[in-house]
Amino acid sequence: MADEAEKREEQGINVAGTPSIPSGDGTVWADVSLLLQAASKEFADGELIHGENFSLFAAMSALEIMDPKMDSGMDNGRYHSIDEAIESGAAPVPISFDRTLDALCVIDVMDHLLTCEATWHLGHSLAQTVFSCIYLLRIDRTSPHALLYSYCRVVQATCNVIISVVSDARTHEEEDLFTMAYGLPLGGEKDDRCLSTLNAVEETLSRQLRACKAPSAKKMAVEDVEPLQTNFDLEEGFCKSMLCRLRFRKHFYHLLMCMKRPQGRGFELARKHIASCLSELERMRRSSEFIRSVAGTICEDNIVVNTTASGRQPIGFDANLNFRSSAPAPPRTIKTLSWKMALEYFEKLLHDMDIICSFTLDPLLENVLRFVVQFQKSQPDLVARAHLQLLLIQDGKLYGRDPIFSVICRVAALPEAMKDHDIQKNEFVVQLGQFVINLMKILCTNVAWQRRKLGKILQDWRVIYVQLELAFRKEFGEFWSMSYNENPYMKMPKHILIWVEEQAYWIASRFLLLGFDLDLYSPTEYCMVYWYIYVVLIKLAEKTHLRVLAKTDTAKRKGKKKRDSIMDMAKDYQFPPAVLLLQCYICLAEGLTMMLAALRNERKAFINPGPFNTEHERFLQHFEHLQKAGLPDHITYLSFEECTAQASLSTLVTHNHFKDAQRIAKELKHGFPDDPDRTSELRRIEQVAEHNSIALSVISRVAAVDPSLKISFEFTYHPYFAVAVVKRS
């Protein structure tokens, strides 16, 4: 303790030993200013420190009185009610008695509503985004204005459908304000009436556009069709601009309704609506030049900060009007997306929806999980992920058609007849089915929520394995110790146990890798992270191999326990491609672990010198969930130290794990002929292995004679496996 005190004194950290302010709960107040200053020098952006009795949650729960961003009781707006806003002329109908200006203002309302809707999709309050539009809050007032009325109606119906989808999927826990309607007018009219109104307006606009293009257009416009506005030279441009906006809303609404059909029955039609939506978005983008020329705003640089194509402020919106109806949470300051960003958001949403619609509804669970993981790489937003979850889980079944027990039987390589076995009624088997459903739901959440939930369910999967084993032993009694050849009936429980253990390690690997997506690991922690990934992947490869062998009826009741049995996989062509792909990851993880360990041992690089958390403490913080679940068993910080203590660059060059990964990846190129995603993954593995192998060679030759050599790690080719970059400082 004395040494520790001297060390703190040398660093200038002097924490007072006597309390200056008395406190309850047996605690005392002390001046920690110098300690916090020292901490701030070590912390990077986004890192936090907290005490046991004052957490981040407590800090975020505090309300700052008289802060306009947090105090909903403050007078933040011009109007105190919707009626007051309407009486003050904030949302006139028509917007202008000049019909040309009125048409331009209606387009502004349409554009701003689109940006508000995109902003809402990204997690902001419905009351402060879409329903900041006064026309939506009193929608019946717009009925004399057919264009405005039809557009507002379809926006209202669309919001209702999206809230329903996200609520049913229950993914909105991550964006807690998304589904809160605050008593806003979301319903009241049947959807078919909403579309019939929109179709009537679309037909009228189409006739006006045809009249503009006719040879005797001026005569027809006067005699047969009432023009949209008074300037005939602008009529065609206005008709096209409004039609593409109305048609986008129509096709987008149809898309949502098709996606809601059970078992993916509406996907084929949904893809046609997606194509139509994308076409209309492109027409909307092209219409901006005409709209800006009419509005007189031809400055191209300002479009990125405007919420309308014209660059004008829309009429009929007040973001503070619903400020007080935002309970139970404090109202948030909202920065509405620009019109350009809103178009980009909807384009990405449509592409994500198209990926979902193109899914073949594969009945094999491992392919389903792989699809979801691959889908998440594009970082889809909440609406797309909610639709994916509703597709996967309907009425407690996969795709609403396959009972979960039959899904488990299929992935565990059990005969088709086993799916009707009475063992499915066992309480632990039923619980396992719920775990599978929960896992698919978790994988559809955002990355941060997903990792948090995966960490929590690791122990559940470990426990259910033990419970199932005990239940099966009790169920099958004396037959439990028999081999498959003696009693083929024993395949069912043992295959299920093999798969459960494999799935637990798959979840553990996913948990570890997601830490890179969230930037949870610092370069000084890469060594321990890659080491833990390495040991988890070894166990995963073992269990995967056992399951694959079980599929071909050649499984034995023994697993590959030693590291050499996994490291020699590439030499044995009987190993299936899925296992050899895991072997590539194992080689990369081991190579990076040993490279980082050698740099720590020989160059004292990538070592955390900070006075706060020791490496052991960081090990426990990162891998707490895995340690509690015993994944793998008997893995501790001491194991990590023993494995890396003797690492050296010379040994690493002799036993180059990166070259092993590169060789296996090349041999595997023809292992996935119909899987472009895995083919691309193999190419990324080759690139990481090749560049790290070169970097390792350079470091081993130059590092000893050039102390100025600077080494860093970047994720240039792969999101999870880094590449060493060597430079002279």
Side-chain angles (χ1 to χ4, degrees):
M1 293 296 291
D3 293 339
E4 183 68 18
E6 291 177 7
K7 183 178 178 181
R8 287 182 175 272
E9 190 173 353
E10 289 176 4
Q11 294 174 345
I13 303 173
N14 182 24
V15 180
T18 58
S20 57
I21 304 174
S23 176
D25 299 328
T27 59
V28 296
W29 293 92
D31 185 359
V32 293
S33 301
L34 294 175
L35 178 65
L36 293 177
Q37 289 174 8
S40 65
K41 293 176 181 178
E42 181 189 351
F43 284 175
D45 289 343
E47 292 185 324
L48 299 170
I49 186 170
H50 69 87
E52 292 181 1
N53 60 349
F54 191 75
S55 63
L56 174 62
F57 177 80
M60 296 298 291
S61 299
L63 292 180
E64 298 185 33
I65 305 302
M66 302 306 292
D67 183 342
K69 295 181 180 179
M70 299 296 290
D71 189 352
S72 61
M74 286 193 67
D75 185 8
N76 288 287
R78 291 177 297 171
Y79 311 115
H80 294 82
S81 68
I82 300 170
D83 293 331
E84 181 183 342
I86 293 171
E87 290 172 3
S88 301
V93 180
I95 301 178
S96 173
F97 290 104
D98 180 337
R99 295 182 63 186
T100 301
L101 182 57
D102 181 73
L104 182 62
C105 290
V106 169
I107 291 176
D108 288 341
V109 172
M110 292 176 173
D111 289 345
H112 191 74
L113 272 173
L114 189 75
T115 63
C116 286
E117 188 175 354
T119 306
W120 170 53
H121 285 191
L122 295 176
H124 290 289
S125 162
L126 182 66
Q128 292 180 268
T129 52
V130 180
F131 279 86
S132 65
C133 179
I134 301 171
Y135 294 113
L136 274 176
L137 294 169
R138 291 288 188 272
I139 202 166
D140 290 336
R141 289 182 60 250
T142 64
S143 56
H145 198 303
L147 265 171
L148 191 58
Y149 179 75
S150 62
Y151 193 88
C152 288
R153 272 298 184 200
V154 76
V155 169
Q156 182 189 55
T158 300
C159 291
N160 204 16
V161 173
I162 290 176
I163 285 179
S164 173
V165 168
V166 176
S167 298
D168 291 344
R170 300 183 67 80
T171 54
H172 62 279
E173 294 179 44
E174 59 198 75
E175 287 96 359
D176 54 349
L177 297 182
F178 189 91
T179 58
M180 293 184 181
Y182 311 103
L184 298 169
L186 283 169
E189 183 179 32
K190 292 184 178 179
D191 296 334
D192 54 352
R193 289 189 61 188
C194 158
L195 290 176
S196 64
T197 306
L198 184 68
N199 289 334
V201 174
E202 181 190 357
E203 177 59 29
T204 301
L205 282 173
S206 298
R207 290 176 58 208
Q208 290 168 335
L209 181 59
R210 288 194 298 269
C212 294
K213 294 180 177 180
S216 54
K218 293 186 178 180
K219 184 177 180 181
M220 290 182 64
V222 174
E223 296 180 359
D224 299 330
V225 181
E226 183 180 0
L228 186 63
Q229 44 80 53
T230 53
N231 189 336
F232 179 77
D233 294 332
L234 302 176
E235 185 74 2
E236 182 178 348
F238 271 119
C239 287
K240 287 182 177 179
S241 300
M242 288 191 173
L243 271 173
C244 62
R245 285 160 172 77
L246 287 175
R247 285 171 176 165
F248 169 78
R249 300 285 359 166
K250 180 183 74 172
H251 288 297
F252 187 64
Y253 181 77
H254 278 303
L255 162 64
L256 295 174
M257 299 307 293
C258 290
M259 295 284 288
K260 287 188 71 174
R261 294 181 187 176
Q263 301 181 22
R265 291 175 186 147
F267 282 0
E268 185 178 353
L269 183 57
R271 297 192 74 180
K272 294 179 181 179
H273 287 299
I274 289 171
S276 298
C277 284
L278 290 170
S279 298
E280 300 304 335
L281 282 174
E282 183 56 33
R283 292 189 182 97
M284 288 166 62
R285 185 178 281 109
R286 290 202 301 264
S287 72
S288 62
E289 185 177 349
F290 165 77
I291 295 171
R292 286 199 306 273
S293 66
V294 174
T297 54
I298 47 179
C299 182
E300 191 73 32
D301 294 336
N302 290 334
I303 192 66
V304 293
V305 296
N306 293 331
T307 61
T308 60
S310 67
R312 291 158 30 94
Q313 187 70 27
I315 295 173
F317 290 84
D318 189 338
N320 294 323
L321 199 57
N322 295 315
F323 213 58
R324 293 176 178 81
S325 65
S326 300
R332 300 174 179 177
T333 300
I334 293 175
K335 181 175 176 59
T336 307
L337 296 179
S338 69
W339 184 70
K340 181 180 178 181
M341 292 172 66
L343 293 184
E344 292 171 352
Y345 166 79
F346 276 102
E347 283 178 341
K348 184 180 184 304
L349 173 61
L350 291 166
H351 285 301
D352 290 336
M353 295 286 221
D354 192 56
I355 293 172
I356 296 172
C357 292
S358 63
F359 184 45
T360 57
L361 306 192
D362 195 313
L364 195 59
L365 182 62
E366 59 183 305
N367 293 340
V368 174
L369 299 183
R370 190 183 308 119
F371 171 79
V372 177
V373 170
Q374 188 66 30
F375 179 71
Q376 287 277 28
K377 290 181 180 178
S378 66
Q379 298 181 336
D381 289 303
L382 176 63
V383 175
R385 288 186 279 105
H387 279 91
L388 176 59
Q389 182 181 315
L390 286 184
L391 167 66
L392 297 179
I393 304 298
Q394 299 173 21
D395 301 324
K397 298 179 180 179
L398 180 64
Y399 312 128
R401 72 183 186 201
D402 298 335
I404 295 300
F405 183 71
S406 68
V407 173
I408 293 172
C409 289
R410 193 179 295 116
V411 75
L414 294 174
E416 190 70 17
M418 293 292 185
K419 67 180 184 180
D420 298 321
H421 194 278
D422 286 344
I423 201 170
Q424 64 183 298
K425 299 176 183 177
N426 181 283
E427 63 172 312
F428 297 117
V429 176
V430 172
Q431 192 174 352
L432 176 62
Q434 290 300 317
F435 284 179
V436 173
I437 292 174
N438 192 35
L439 175 60
M440 286 190 281
K441 289 183 176 180
I442 288 171
L443 292 176
C444 292
T445 60
N446 68 25
V447 174
W449 194 265
Q450 182 183 152
R451 189 177 190 273
R452 177 185 174 192
K453 291 291 187 180
L454 288 177
K456 290 184 176 181
I457 67 171
L458 277 170
Q459 203 164 356
D460 295 337
W461 279 81
R462 196 64 164 168
V463 170
I464 198 65
Y465 175 85
V466 176
Q467 292 173 329
L468 283 169
E469 186 177 23
L470 294 174
F472 289 155
R473 285 180 181 274
K474 183 178 179 181
E475 176 78 18
F476 296 99
E478 61 186 26
F479 301 107
W480 180 257
S481 58
M482 291 185 177
S483 67
Y484 297 155
N485 294 331
E486 293 176 300
N487 187 358
Y489 187 60
M490 292 306 302
K491 287 182 180 180
M492 179 175 62
K494 294 178 181 179
H495 285 201
I496 289 176
L497 288 174
I498 290 171
W499 173 76
V500 169
E501 201 167 13
E502 178 199 358
Q503 200 60 45
Y505 282 107
W506 184 89
I507 295 170
S509 66
R510 180 75 180 149
F511 171 81
L512 290 169
L513 295 177
L514 285 175
F516 290 106
D517 290 326
L518 296 167
D519 293 326
L520 297 182
Y521 310 130
S522 70
T524 58
E525 297 164 344
Y526 286 168
C527 186
M528 70 170 74
V529 171
Y530 282 120
W531 178 80
Y532 218 116
I533 290 173
Y534 161 71
V535 296
V536 166
L537 287 177
I538 282 183
K539 300 298 291 185
L540 176 59
E542 290 177 1
K543 305 308 174 185
T544 302
H545 188 217
L546 284 175
R547 179 179 58 80
V548 174
L549 287 176
K551 269 188 175 181
T552 57
D553 291 328
T554 58
K556 307 290 184 181
R557 271 202 84 225
K558 61 180 181 179
K560 303 290 183 181
K561 298 296 183 182
K562 296 181 180 179
R563 172 184 168 277
D564 293 341
S565 65
I566 295 299
M567 295 306 296
D568 293 336
M569 282 184 178
K571 301 176 183 178
D572 192 344
Y573 290 100
Q574 73 174 350
F575 285 95
V579 178
L580 289 176
L581 179 60
L582 287 172
Q583 172 61 25
C584 290
Y585 295 141
I586 290 170
C587 291
L588 288 182
E590 186 174 15
L592 285 165
T593 300
M594 293 299 117
M595 181 191 286
L596 286 157
L599 291 172
R600 284 155 55 105
N601 295 339
E602 297 182 7
R603 291 180 59 88
K604 304 303 178 186
F606 302 102
I607 297 176
N608 176 38
F612 299 103
N613 287 358
T614 64
E615 187 175 62
H616 187 195
E617 289 172 331
R618 295 191 180 210
F619 183 93
L620 295 176
Q621 289 167 358
H622 281 307
F623 313 126
E624 177 185 8
H625 292 297
L626 297 161
Q627 295 279 290
K628 287 181 178 178
L631 291 169
D633 288 322
H634 313 302
I635 292 297
T636 63
Y637 176 72
L638 183 60
S639 309
F640 163 68
E641 280 193 321
E642 290 175 350
C643 287
T644 57
Q646 303 301 320
S648 65
L649 291 171
S650 59
T651 305
L652 195 55
V653 171
T654 306
H655 304 285
N656 194 326
H657 305 288
F658 299 119
K659 287 185 177 179
D660 292 338
Q662 194 174 1
R663 174 175 52 81
I664 299 171
K666 286 181 178 178
E667 293 173 358
L668 261 179
K669 277 186 175 179
H670 302 293
F672 305 104
D674 301 321
D675 193 336
D677 292 330
R678 284 191 170 183
T679 303
S680 300
E681 178 69 1
L682 288 171
R683 178 58 189 151
R684 287 191 289 269
I685 289 172
E686 280 190 75
Q687 289 175 317
V688 172
E690 181 182 358
H691 284 80
N692 276 330
S693 186
I694 295 171
L696 180 61
S697 177
V698 171
I699 293 169
S700 63
R701 285 188 286 104
V702 182
V705 297
D706 188 356
S708 67
L709 208 65
K710 185 176 181 181
I711 304 166
S712 61
F713 285 85
E714 298 176 0
F715 297 89
T716 311
Y717 302 102
H718 199 283
Y720 306 133
F721 295 99
V723 170
V725 178
V726 184
K727 297 179 180 178
R728 283 188 171 89
S729 57

